[in-house]
Amino acid sequence: MRTTDAIIVTMVIIGTILSSDLLAQQDSTGQNIFELSLNELMNVVVTPSKLPQFAGTVTQKIDVIDANEIATIVSGNRNVCELIGQLPGASVSVLSRNDANWGTYGGIGPKYSTYMLQGVPLDAFVDPMSLDPNILDHIEVQRGPASVFYPNYLSQDFAGNQSPLAGTINLILKGKVEKPKTTLQTSFGSYNTLNSQFFHEQNVGLLNYFLGSTYEMSDYTDYGSQGSWLNMKKDPGYSKTKLYGGLTLFIDEEEQQKFTLFCQETWHSGDIGRIYQGFDHQYQTINTGYDIAFNDRLSLQSHFGLRSYDRSWQSSNYGAIDTLTANNGVKQLIIPIDISFSWRHGEANLLSIGGDYQGAKYQTWVDPLAGYRTYGNKASAFQGGIYAEEQWRPDTQLTLRGGLRFSHIKNTIELVNANAPGINADSWDKLLWSIGLRYSFSKTVAIYANTGSSFATPALKSTGGTIPLSDFGVIGRDGQLPNPGLKPESGTSIDGGSDLRLPYSISAGVRVFYTIIRDAIVDNVVSLNPSQSQSINTGNSRSVGGEIEISQRISDRLSWFANGTYMKTSIKNEIDADQNDTEIPFSPNLVGNLGMHLHSSTGFSFTTSLNYNGGFYDGTSKSGRHRFKPGILLNAYLAQQLAKAESYSVEGFAQFYNITNNKYEMPWQFENPGFSCMVGIKVSFQ
C-alpha cells in the first residue's frame, strides 16, 4: 500500500469513529465529554510563543511529559533522549551509557530537532547525557517545523550545528514550590551499578529553590559487537557525579516579575574496556532569566546561558601489551542570549519581537606524551538574529501564525589539523520564515498545518576532522575524517494533522510531514574502519511520513497509549551513483510504541512500554553501508509504597530494561548489551 493510500484509509477509519454512536456516550464521571472544550482537555504550554497558552490554541503539535511520568520511564542508558522515545516521530538510538543518541527526528537525522532548557538552546548530543531528570518539572516536545523564535545551536562537535527544522524539545525546570520536600534514593543492579540521589526543594517567602546530586558507578559490560574495534578486554567501568541547584525568585506578591537561576556540574570518567583507553569529561550548564509583565498586554522575557564541554580521552596501540600513544581532548564554550517582547493586542492576538545572540569557541588538542600539548583545530563562531512573529485569532476557532527571522552567522578559523586554514573566516546572511494555522471544527475536532525554513553551516569537526585524511581506513586511528569542501545546507519542512477528543477520555491524532534539505550534511561510518566517520554533502535529502496515535486516560489510576510512525527517506545524488536513491542514515522506516500506566489505591505502581524499530542504515553508500534492525525493546517499572505518614513516605521500586534480552547491533560496531535491572528504595520527607 502506498503512503498516501495508507493515510487516506487512516482518515476514513477515524472519520467512521467520529460518526459512530459512541459520540453520544458519556465518560465514567457521568459528564458529557462535549461539555468540555478542546482547550480544557489539553495542557498549558510555553514553547510555541514563550508565554503560557493552551496547546489547543497554537498551530504546532505539542506533547507534554510531566514529572510523574518522567520518574517512571526506564532510561537504560541514563539519557534524557530516552524520555521522549515513546512519542511519535522520534527514533532514539543511544549507543551506550557513555555515548550519545544517534537516533532521528521526523526521519531526517539526529540533528534536526534542537534541545532547549527553559527556551535556551542546548547540545542535542552532549546535554541529554549530562542533565539530571530530577531537575525537570516537565518536557514539552514540539513536533514539526519550529517557529522563528528558536535559532540553530552552534555546536562544532559530534554531528555539528543543530536546527529546529523537524521540531524542538524544551526541558522545563522546576519553578514554584508548593511545599518543602526532601528525597533520598539509592538503588543497585546489573553490572554492579550503584546509584544514589539526593533532592530537596523548598520555598521561603517569594523565593523557591531546589538542589540535589546524583552519583552512579558501574563495572558496566562489553557493549561492542563481535569483532568490534572497541576490543574490550575488561569491564568498561565508569562513574558519574552530578551537582545542581536552581531558584525562582518572585520580585512582587502578584508574581509579575521573576528571576530564575540554574547551575549544574557533571563529572563523567571511566574507560572503554582496555588499559590506556580512559576518558574524563566535565560539563557545566548555567541558565539565568528575568521575566516581567509590565501590564496585562506587554511583557518581557530575557534569558542567558552558558554551556561548557570539556572532554578528554586516551588513545593507544593495543596488542599483547597495550601502549599509550596520546591524550586527546576537545573543549567547547557556547553562550546563548535571548531577549523578547510579547504584546497581546485585540481580543486574543499576540505579537512577539526579539533578538538573540550565540557565541561559540571550539578547540581540539593532543598530548603525544612529549610533555607538551598541541592544538589541532581552533575556531570561534558567532550567530545573531532578530525575529518577529504574529499569532492572530480572528475568532475562537481559527489561529493563524506567521513570522520572520534574519540570521547572521560568522565562522573564524585559526587552525585546522594544526595548520593555518586556506580561508580563515566566512559569513552568511539568511532570512528564514515560518507560518502555521489551526482550525477547530468543534469542541472535539481540530486540524493544523505548519511550514518553515532552515539554514545550517558545516561545523569545524566536519570540515577539519579530528584525524588527518591520510588516516582513512587505518586501524587504530579513531575519529572524524575531514571534508573541507562541505557546503552549507538549507531546508524546508511541512506538516499537518488532526487532533481528536473522543468520549471516555480517548485522544487520537494523525500527522503527516514532508522535509527536504538541500546539500544535506550527513555522517557516514567508514566501512574500512568503523571507528571512523566522515561528513559529506548528499544533494537533496527527503523525508516523508505519517504518524497515528491514540491514548486513553481511563481514570486517575489507569491509562494507556499506542502510536506508530512511518518514514520514507531518500537521498538524491546524481553525481555519485553509489549514493543516489539511498536512505538517510539512522532513519528507520517504521517505529511503534505501546504502553500503560497503573497506580493502585494500595500504593502499587506499574508502568510498561514496548518500542519497535524497523531498522536503518549507518551510511549513504550502497556498497559500504550496513543495516541494523533493533526490533523490540521492552521495559517495565514497578514500585510499591512500603510506609506512609504525614511527614514521610517510603517506596521500593524496580526498573527492568530490555526484558527480552535483545542484543541488537548499532552503528560504529556498538551493541545493546541486553537485559539489565535496578532495585532500590526511595524515602521522601515533607
Side-chain angles (χ1 to χ4, degrees):
M1 181 181 291
R2 294 178 302 173
T3 304
T4 53
D5 294 336
I7 294 170
I8 292 171
V9 170
T10 300
M11 295 293 287
V12 170
I13 292 173
I14 293 176
T16 302
I17 294 174
L18 280 173
S19 62
S20 70
D21 59 357
L22 286 176
L23 295 178
Q25 302 296 321
Q26 295 180 331
D27 67 6
S28 58
T29 64
Q31 183 179 23
N32 193 309
I33 200 74
F34 290 125
E35 294 176 1
L36 299 177
S37 70
L38 186 63
N39 295 349
E40 292 173 305
L41 291 168
M42 303 185 74
N43 295 299
V44 173
V45 295
V46 300
T47 302
S49 62
K50 300 188 178 182
L51 290 178
Q53 294 188 86
F54 285 110
T57 65
V58 299
T59 70
Q60 299 96 331
K61 178 64 177 178
I62 306 290
D63 302 289
V64 177
I65 307 172
D66 62 29
N68 292 330
E69 187 176 356
I70 290 172
T72 63
I73 295 175
V74 177
S75 177
N77 291 295
R78 287 47 173 165
N79 196 303
V80 171
C81 292
E82 293 174 303
L83 302 180
I84 68 163
Q86 302 173 3
L87 298 177
S91 168
V92 174
S93 184
V94 182
L95 297 182
S96 80
R97 293 181 184 178
N98 299 321
D99 296 276
N101 169 49
W102 284 85
T104 188
Y105 304 91
I108 203 67
K111 62 175 186 175
Y112 296 102
S113 184
T114 53
Y115 276 73
M116 300 186 294
L117 186 66
Q118 299 283 90
V120 184
L122 292 166
D123 191 287
F125 294 86
V126 180
D127 288 299
M129 296 190 291
S130 167
L131 292 174
D132 197 296
N134 288 327
I135 68 176
L136 302 178
D137 178 78
H138 65 278
I139 302 174
E140 296 181 5
V141 180
Q142 177 182 311
R143 291 186 251 157
S147 71
V148 295
F149 286 128
Y150 302 116
N152 291 356
Y153 189 66
L154 290 182
S155 174
Q156 305 299 311
D157 206 356
F158 288 87
N161 295 327
Q162 297 146 29
S163 162
L165 183 62
T168 191
I169 294 112
N170 199 357
L171 309 178
I172 308 299
L173 295 166
K174 295 179 183 293
K176 190 173 183 180
V177 178
E178 299 298 333
K179 55 184 178 181
K181 184 178 181 180
T182 301
T183 301
L184 300 171
Q185 176 178 310
T186 187
S187 57
F188 184 79
S190 302
Y191 322 127
N192 293 320
T193 302
L194 174 66
N195 181 288
S196 296
Q197 301 179 26
F198 163 77
F199 181 83
H200 175 73
E201 59 182 346
Q202 190 167 348
N203 57 345
V204 181
L206 299 178
L207 175 65
N208 303 259
Y209 71 89
F210 66 86
L211 55 90
S213 64
T214 295
Y215 175 76
E216 180 171 290
M217 61 180 294
S218 177
D219 292 342
Y220 208 15
T221 188
D222 191 338
Y223 47 86
S225 60
Q226 187 173 4
S228 169
W229 65 273
L230 293 166
N231 192 36
M232 295 184 186
K233 294 182 178 180
K234 67 181 190 67
D235 291 332
Y238 69 86
S239 66
K240 295 181 184 179
T241 303
K242 303 177 183 180
L243 297 176
Y244 57 83
L247 64 84
T248 300
L249 174 64
F250 294 102
I251 301 176
D252 53 71
E253 295 285 350
E254 292 76 24
E255 300 182 0
Q256 299 301 300
Q257 297 185 66
K258 69 176 181 180
F259 170 78
T260 59
L261 173 65
F262 170 78
C263 302
Q264 177 171 318
E265 196 86 17
T266 299
W267 296 267
H268 180 197
S269 60
D271 63 78
I272 62 171
R274 291 202 316 268
I275 190 171
Y276 302 132
Q277 283 286 280
F279 60 85
D280 190 3
H281 308 326
Q282 184 174 353
Y283 309 126
Q284 184 180 65
T285 306
I286 297 176
N287 256 42
T288 64
Y290 173 72
D291 297 353
I292 179 172
F294 298 106
N295 51 48
D296 291 341
R297 293 188 174 270
L298 183 63
S299 61
L300 163 73
Q301 302 87 38
S302 59
H303 297 276
F304 167 88
L306 182 147
R307 288 82 170 95
S308 173
Y309 313 102
D310 189 352
R311 301 192 298 118
S312 63
W313 62 94
Q314 296 175 317
S315 58
S316 63
N317 292 323
Y318 56 91
I321 300 177
D322 289 356
T323 56
L324 178 65
T325 57
N327 294 302
N328 311 269
V330 58
K331 294 185 69 173
Q332 277 202 101
L333 178 66
I334 300 180
I335 297 178
I337 301 174
D338 181 274
I339 300 176
S340 64
F341 289 90
S342 300
W343 176 45
R344 299 184 187 274
H345 60 99
E347 294 187 6
N349 305 321
L350 180 65
L351 174 64
S352 300
I353 59 174
D356 50 44
Y357 160 89
Q358 209 171 128
K361 290 185 178 297
Y362 171 81
Q363 62 184 32
T364 63
W365 58 267
V366 59
D367 177 1
L369 307 182
Y372 59 89
R373 177 179 294 186
T374 61
Y375 290 93
N377 298 328
K378 269 190 177 183
S380 60
F382 160 82
Q383 178 176 264
I386 55 174
Y387 56 85
E389 182 172 277
E390 168 74 6
Q391 182 176 286
W392 182 48
R393 300 195 69 204
D395 55 49
T396 58
Q397 293 178 288
L398 178 64
T399 301
L400 298 173
R401 179 185 60 82
L404 293 173
R405 163 181 284 272
F406 175 78
S407 290
H408 173 75
I409 307 106
K410 182 177 181 179
N411 291 347
T412 302
I413 303 173
E414 297 180 41
L415 291 174
V416 175
N417 274 316
N419 295 306
I423 300 176
N424 63 1
D426 206 350
S427 63
W428 301 265
D429 295 312
K430 292 297 292 186
L431 183 65
L432 304 176
W433 52 270
S434 177
I435 59 176
L437 67 86
R438 184 181 185 91
Y439 185 78
S440 299
F441 290 98
S442 67
K443 296 179 179 179
T444 58
V445 183
I447 61 171
Y448 59 89
N450 298 274
T451 182
S453 63
S454 72
F455 177 81
T457 59
L460 184 64
K461 182 181 179 184
S462 299
T463 57
T466 60
I467 56 177
L469 190 60
S470 58
D471 284 338
F472 181 89
V474 177
I475 302 300
R477 294 293 293 155
D478 313 328
Q480 179 93 7
L481 294 163
N483 186 351
L486 286 174
K487 297 179 290 185
E489 59 184 23
S490 58
T492 304
S493 184
I494 304 169
D495 83 335
S498 176
D499 287 328
L500 309 173
R501 297 294 179 266
L502 305 177
Y504 302 106
S505 300
I506 296 176
S507 300
V510 293
R511 187 176 82 97
V512 295
F513 54 85
Y514 173 81
T515 303
I516 181 170
I517 298 178
R518 292 162 286 277
D519 296 318
I521 300 171
V522 301
D523 273 16
N524 273 330
V525 177
V526 176
S527 58
L528 294 177
N529 180 3
S531 70
Q532 297 178 351
S533 60
Q534 186 180 43
S535 298
I536 63 169
N537 287 112
T538 60
N540 291 341
S541 295
R542 291 182 175 87
S543 173
V544 59
E547 306 163 358
I548 183 168
E549 58 185 316
I550 185 169
S551 63
Q552 182 183 20
R553 190 178 183 86
I554 298 174
S555 68
D556 290 339
R557 301 188 182 278
L558 180 62
S559 62
W560 65 273
F561 67 90
N563 59 69
T565 304
Y566 172 78
M567 296 172 277
K568 182 176 177 57
T569 67
S570 64
I571 293 174
K572 299 295 182 182
N573 189 342
E574 296 179 357
I575 299 175
D576 186 349
D578 186 49
Q579 300 192 35
N580 191 33
D581 290 324
T582 62
E583 290 81 4
I584 296 174
F586 317 119
S587 298
N589 59 345
L590 184 64
V591 177
N593 294 284
L594 179 67
M596 65 166 288
H597 306 274
L598 170 66
H599 307 280
S600 75
S601 58
T602 62
F604 175 74
S605 299
F606 175 68
T607 298
T608 184
S609 64
L610 183 150
N611 172 267
Y612 172 79
N613 187 311
F616 53 87
Y617 292 97
D618 64 355
T620 59
S621 169
K622 295 175 184 176
S623 59
R625 63 183 181 171
H626 294 86
R627 180 170 175 81
F628 305 92
K629 190 172 183 180
I632 289 176
L633 181 65
L634 178 63
N635 302 329
Y637 174 90
L638 293 86
Q640 175 63 57
Q641 191 174 85
L642 304 176
K644 183 174 176 60
E646 185 175 345
S647 60
Y648 73 90
S649 65
V650 181
E651 180 182 82
F653 64 89
Q655 302 172 350
F656 300 96
Y657 172 74
N658 198 350
I659 294 172
T660 61
N661 198 33
N662 180 12
K663 298 184 178 182
Y664 56 85
E665 292 187 0
M666 292 185 288
W668 291 287
Q669 294 185 333
F670 282 72
E671 181 181 72
N672 187 298
F675 172 76
S676 64
C677 68
M678 295 287 290
V679 178
I681 191 167
K682 179 166 67 174
V683 182
S684 300
F685 301 94
Q686 296 181 347

